[in-house]
Amino acid sequence: MRIFRTGLRLLLPILAVGRLATAADTSGTVRFGGLPVPGATVTASQGDRQAAAITDEIGAYLLTGLADGAWTLRVEMSGFEPVTREVAAASAEVFELKMLPLLQMNAAVAPLDPPPSPVTTIRRGRNIAPQPAFRKTEGVAAPATDNDAPPATNDNTNTNDAFAISGSVNNGAATSFAQAGAFGNARRGRSSMYSGSAGVVVDDSTFNANSYSLTGQATPKPAYNRTQAALSLGGPLTIPHLMTGSGASFFVGYQSIRNRNATIQSALVPTAEQRAGQGIAPSLLSAQSQALLRLYPLPNFAASSRYNYQVPLVGSNHQDSVQARVNKSLNRSNQVAGDFGSQSTRSDSTNIFGFLDATSSLGLNASAGWTHRYSPRTFANLRFQFSRLSTIVTPFFSGHTDISGQAGIAGSSRDPRDWGPPTLEFASGIAGLSDARASTSHDQTGIISYDFYWSRNPHSLSFGADFRRQQFNLLSQQDPRGTFSFTGSDLSGFLRGVPDTAALAFGNADKYLRASGGDFYAKDDWRVNPGLTLNLGLRWEYSAPLKERYRRLVNLDITPGFAAVTPVIASSPRGSLTGRDYSDSLLRSDYSALQPRIGFAWRPIAATSLVVRGGYGLYYDSSVYQPIALRMAQQAPLSRSFSIQSTAANPLTLATALLSTATNPNTFAVDPDFRVGFNHTWQLSVQRDLPASLVFIGTYMGSRGARGRQQSLPNTYPTGAVGPAGFTYLASNGDSNRQSGDIQLRRRLRKGFTASVQYTWAKAIDNAALGGRGQSSAFVAQNWLDLRGERGLSNFDQRHLANIQIQYGTGMSIRNGWRGAAAREWTATTQITAGSGRPLNPVYFRATPGTGVTGSIRASFTGAPLYDAPAGLYLNPAALGSPAAGQWGNAGRNTITGPGQFSLNASLARTFRLKDRINADFRIDAANALNHVTFPSWITVSNSAQFGLPPGANPMRNVQTTFRVRF
């Protein structure tokens, strides 16, 4: 306890320099021919993070503190072929090793390492971009890896003694991973065969900085706390008198999260004078607007044209999850395994109006697998997987207060589940009124997969296939309470009850979407010679467009030139304006997703550290169909749906706008020949060792996409609309391009110190997935006749990005006494990230003429300098104005550069060796340790009072403490 208290006193002064990643434990066993393999090295990697462990006398390993997500596990042992696999955190895995041929064991110059995990990119040490897989765990990557990457800060295993005695695998009995004590009285008890851990993560508002105040108001920080706890246990599955020595092993884990989160929200709300009419005759004030105004809070500080209200918001998130895995070897040739996982989440969130919405979800997943080994070099896997996710969203007013009905707004859904206020949107920056929409969903997926592996030097061949069946069952309405937009003199229009646009979509609430899909792949890891390895593969994938169980989907049949449109229902007799025959999905199936992959690793000069890696792959995006089907399921005549604009001939009011009988009530259409988009990706990297334990890596990566999603508004012009209009049209005519260069200099772990510096230059442009950061959710092109004019910087484009990571560990100090005990096994880590701003879209908020769509029109540049902003702003409002009469806005898409990004995160950790097999880990982590203020973006709606201000600030300093016991 004295050592613990001493360490704690040393930690307290640096509580402000730590950072925590949500952690979990991954365990498993390593075997050869069904027998345990002690002394094997197991390395886990996820991007720049790594962790390592060594298997014990029963072949078991434990990796602690792994962040959520996919990790790549690599098992290495002298005399055996390395094995690589992608796993999820908090999982249990069984690795079966294969012995190297005798010639390779005795070779003076070992061949290149086998390929890394297929889901990593061409080189190891940093994940440049996620690569689609040959199957869920297969893909193409370059075969050679850098096995000298430094261990992660959570590497609690002292591996420095490995291979210290010539001829032995481990350093005698000097480590806990020595060969099993099997002589004399040195045998351990049965309990030593089990391993586990228990840990807790604590985050209290006491040590955290207050949220940044955009208005300068001293809003008190509400009290909150976050707690995460985890338990795990694994080992042989033994039941006295029933199951002993069965060759079965198990793993079970439990995680609990109890979080309360606090943020500060700023807004502009109507003042008391504005509520009273401010010059509008009382007889002209709308009863509906007066009823809705009661939901708005009054300003709580001096009136401002930008903000006059600020309040802390507190939400909660509770989560419980369980994972379990059982493995059993039936004999030397057959092994079975089963997994089960469950996660329950309950959360609630509030907004500035005090509406508290609740969300609950329950996810289940289970799988069963069989592995059959035909020979030491040939085996096959058969696997069944099932997953189900149920989610329920309950809005604040659902089932108890009909806000729209009480306000006298007719035409909205009268279902009690949909009760609540309509959505209000204001151009000038007044806080929009909104609440969640009630929904219940039950989604499930079933997958059967088979893969076959055959190794025959110099080739390692693998083949596989998957078949999946998906269900998306939803009970929800798209817009049951209606949406009203107010532009121009928006507050005046609201007080008089005269919206500029109105939209509604409800009916056909229950939707039962179905889809099938599958894939096949073949891959060859070919060791051409000791200096060259090729990874060749081909994948074919098919994802069918979704169908509705009762054929309740609606699309628009459109003649050439958008001269005429007519609804087409999947359940109706075939036939249309164009005379084509539609399938039940109303979309054409795409069977052309043939995807070649190639990767290589080449050592051009033997016996040197120079390695060249490269690769090419073609990847299809088959996940586009679900949102399309959901929009087609909420259309007339199956639903009441429309989006209309107020005109002199047809003025809208809050009281009656939702009773509209629009001529063209459908709001969405998709090209029946819509094709799935694809992306070409290529990469080339060079790696070489430098003096002073340095490693240089230079990488070039390029990609080009085609068939991107584009949305437009046919028959619309700056002066109005002609012909059938008012609906968005989705087609697959977009394209994209990204080029990047990356330079990394890394110092390998030496004398406890490791560091890396990485700089990336990149540029990405596209005219697909139209829209921009700062634009409304419509993401629709401004000019349907000039889609090329939408070409601009991609939303994710970031020209410059630098990362610096520094880690120092004291290791196992050999000094005796309290000084040695206090200095032993500390690890300090700092990570600095700095990047340029991402692009933002200049928007002029008003309706596109002839439609009810707002947010797709861009502003016009006036010639004034954009970044020469007046005091208190970050952009110059005089630089942008309304489009000229009869013209579209001349500001290009994504032509505003957002704020630069900077963060410094740090951590300090120590492992306490309590007993032979009991260790305790203590860690303090802080995000934004310097408490430096940064902003995610600017508000770029040119006719908003908040133009040039940030919508909020990134999180300020957050400190968390972790304590974990491993046994």
Side-chain angles (χ1 to χ4, degrees), residues 871-905:
L873 295 176
Y874 297 92
L875 298 174
N876 183 8
L880 291 171
S882 63
Q887 298 182 18
W888 298 114
N890 62 21
R893 169 176 166 259
N894 280 352
T895 49
I896 298 177
T897 301
Q901 301 300 304
F902 176 85
S903 66
L904 187 151
N905 305 322

Side-chain angles (χ1 to χ4, degrees), residues 126-151:
R126 174 178 181 259
N127 249 346
I128 296 177
Q131 301 291 334
F134 270 73
R135 50 190 298 269
K136 286 201 176 295
T137 58
E138 298 287 350
V140 169
T145 63
D146 173 20
N147 294 321
D148 296 313

Side-chain angles (χ1 to χ4, degrees), residues 942-960:
S942 63
N943 48 342
S944 168
Q946 288 106 26
F947 176 83
L949 290 174
N954 291 319
M956 305 304 289
R957 183 175 58 240
N958 180 269
V959 180
Q960 291 181 315

Side-chain angles (χ1 to χ4, degrees), residues 294-627:
R294 299 189 189 103
L295 301 175
Y296 276 82
L298 286 168
N300 58 7
F301 62 90
S304 166
S305 61
R306 300 169 186 170
Y307 296 108
N308 58 11
Y309 184 75
Q310 187 165 285
V311 64
L313 304 178
V314 178
S316 66
N317 178 53
H318 294 174
Q319 187 180 100
D320 296 280
S321 56
V322 177
Q323 306 87 35
R325 179 179 176 87
V326 177
N327 303 289
K328 179 174 174 57
S329 296
L330 303 178
N331 50 49
R332 295 180 65 89
S333 300
N334 296 279
Q335 184 181 49
V336 293
D339 294 270
F340 173 79
S342 175
Q343 179 171 290
S344 173
T345 303
R346 292 85 60 201
S347 62
D348 57 64
S349 60
T350 187
N351 58 21
I352 64 168
F353 304 98
F355 304 162
L356 187 67
D357 303 324
T359 302
S360 63
S361 65
L362 176 63
L364 302 172
N365 65 79
S367 66
W370 168 55
T371 299
H372 177 72
R373 185 170 293 280
Y374 298 93
S375 71
R377 293 178 173 272
T378 307
F379 63 87
N381 297 300
L382 180 65
R383 186 175 178 88
F384 301 90
Q385 296 173 266
F386 173 82
S387 63
R388 181 178 176 86
L389 176 64
S390 299
T391 303
I392 300 175
V393 178
T394 306
F396 182 60
F397 296 102
S398 183
H400 67 81
T401 307
D402 185 6
I403 297 295
S404 292
Q406 294 176 1
I409 300 174
S412 60
S413 172
R414 302 269 57 87
D415 190 325
R417 290 174 299 186
D418 299 325
W419 283 352
T423 299
L424 304 180
E425 298 177 341
F426 297 92
S428 66
I430 294 175
L433 180 67
S434 65
D435 195 17
R437 296 174 183 134
S439 69
T440 301
S441 63
H442 303 286
D443 304 336
Q444 68 181 45
T445 301
I447 301 175
I448 179 173
S449 59
Y450 176 82
D451 59 77
F452 179 84
Y453 177 85
W454 176 50
S455 177
R456 179 168 181 171
N457 286 336
H459 297 276
S460 295
L461 301 172
S462 58
F463 310 89
D466 293 330
F467 174 79
R468 62 184 177 275
R469 180 66 177 170
Q470 295 176 289
Q471 295 185 13
F472 303 97
N473 306 297
L474 180 65
L475 179 64
S476 177
Q477 304 286 8
Q478 182 176 318
D479 189 6
R481 299 189 296 269
T483 298
F484 300 98
S485 297
F486 300 88
T487 64
S489 300
D490 54 358
L491 182 58
S492 174
F494 170 64
L495 294 175
R496 291 183 289 109
V498 182
D500 291 277
T501 66
L504 184 71
F506 75 92
N508 191 33
D510 55 326
K511 309 164 185 69
Y512 305 94
L513 305 177
R514 303 289 186 266
S516 298
D519 58 74
F520 171 80
Y521 76 91
K523 184 179 66 170
D524 180 16
D525 294 332
W526 178 17
R527 297 171 179 267
V528 181
N529 55 52
L532 177 63
T533 302
L534 297 179
N535 192 305
L536 309 173
L538 186 65
R539 172 185 173 86
W540 176 82
E541 182 176 4
Y542 171 70
S543 291
L546 272 71
K547 300 179 181 180
E548 209 275 335
R549 183 178 180 181
Y550 301 105
R551 292 180 161 183
R552 294 177 299 181
L553 297 177
V554 179
N555 198 5
L556 292 182
D557 183 62
I558 302 172
T559 60
F562 297 94
V565 300
T566 185
V568 177
I569 308 175
S571 59
S572 64
R574 300 297 182 259
S576 64
L577 287 174
T578 56
R580 65 177 298 150
D581 188 18
Y582 289 92
S583 67
D584 289 344
S585 68
L586 302 181
L587 294 176
R588 170 188 175 185
S589 296
D590 191 346
Y591 299 96
S592 62
L594 195 64
Q595 306 164 58
R597 316 280 173 82
I598 181 172
F600 72 90
W602 176 42
R603 196 184 302 275
I605 305 175
T608 68
S609 62
L610 179 64
V611 179
V612 181
R613 301 179 178 90
Y616 164 81
L618 178 64
Y619 306 96
Y620 276 75
D621 177 16
S622 57
S623 62
V624 299
Y625 290 123
Q626 183 185 1

Side-chain angles (χ1 to χ4, degrees), residues 54 158-162 170-179 188 916:
I54 295 179
N158 181 17
T159 60
N160 295 329
D161 293 330
N170 289 99
N171 188 11
T175 75
S176 59
F177 303 103
Q179 297 179 5
R188 290 174 176 169
D916 179 30

